[in-house]
């Protein structure tokens, strides 16, 4: 499985941006997919996760109410729609996936995901 994220760019505070993740290969095997990010000088952190077999979405507190993760099975893609962006959202965003049926305690752990895209940079100006 290969993942490719796109849609990053420069946006002003309060603006919106949508990231896309295109998956290729044995995409039908992916059960849990999501987005992580890494800001300069900080550790990589989870942002949003979609558990396919349970059809549930999960968001970290920092983005709840502002970000939405969605999936298009026909296009083998998933998305992260981001609203009300602020400078703290500036980071490289990575789309991730796993064939594992993750339990809740694992969905925000980077090592739970074997598939990672190369990342796309989101910069929010103040």
């Amino acid at each position: 499985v290969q993942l490719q994220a796109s849609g990053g760019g420069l946006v002003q505070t309060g603006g919106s941006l949508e990231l896309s993740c295109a998956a290729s290969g044995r995409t039908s095997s992916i059960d849990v997919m999501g987005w992580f990010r890494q800001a300069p000088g900080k550790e990589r952190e989870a942002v949003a996760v979609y558990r396919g077999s349970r059809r549930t979405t999960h968001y970290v507190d920092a983005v709840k109410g502002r970000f939405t993760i969605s999936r298009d099975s026909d296009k083998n893609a998933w998305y992260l729609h981001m609203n009300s962006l602020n400078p703290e959202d500036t980071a490289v965003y990575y789309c991730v996936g796993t064939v594992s049926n993750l339990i809740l305690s694992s969905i925000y752990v980077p090592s739970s995901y074997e598939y990672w895209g190369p990342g796309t940079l989101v910069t929010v100006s103040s």
Side-chain angles (χ1 to χ4, degrees), residues 29-33 96-102 112-115:
S29 62
I30 296 177
D31 184 60
V32 181
M33 60 210 71
V96 300
T98 178
V99 301
S100 300
N101 185 2
L102 298 179
S112 296
Y113 299 87
E114 63 269 33
Y115 303 119

Side-chain angles (χ1 to χ4, degrees), residues 1-12:
V1 174
Q2 293 79 43
L3 306 180
Q4 182 64 54
S6 61
L10 175 64
V11 63
Q12 292 185 334

Side-chain angles (χ1 to χ4, degrees), residues 74-88:
D74 293 339
K75 295 183 179 180
N76 294 325
W78 54 95
Y79 309 91
L80 185 68
H81 189 77
M82 306 182 291
N83 290 325
S84 302
L85 286 161
N86 59 65
E88 289 69 41

Side-chain angles (χ1 to χ4, degrees), residues 22-41:
S24 59
R26 295 188 60 183
T27 58
S28 61
S29 62
I30 296 177
D31 184 60
V32 181
M33 60 210 71
W35 295 88
F36 280 67
R37 68 184 180 185
Q38 187 166 21

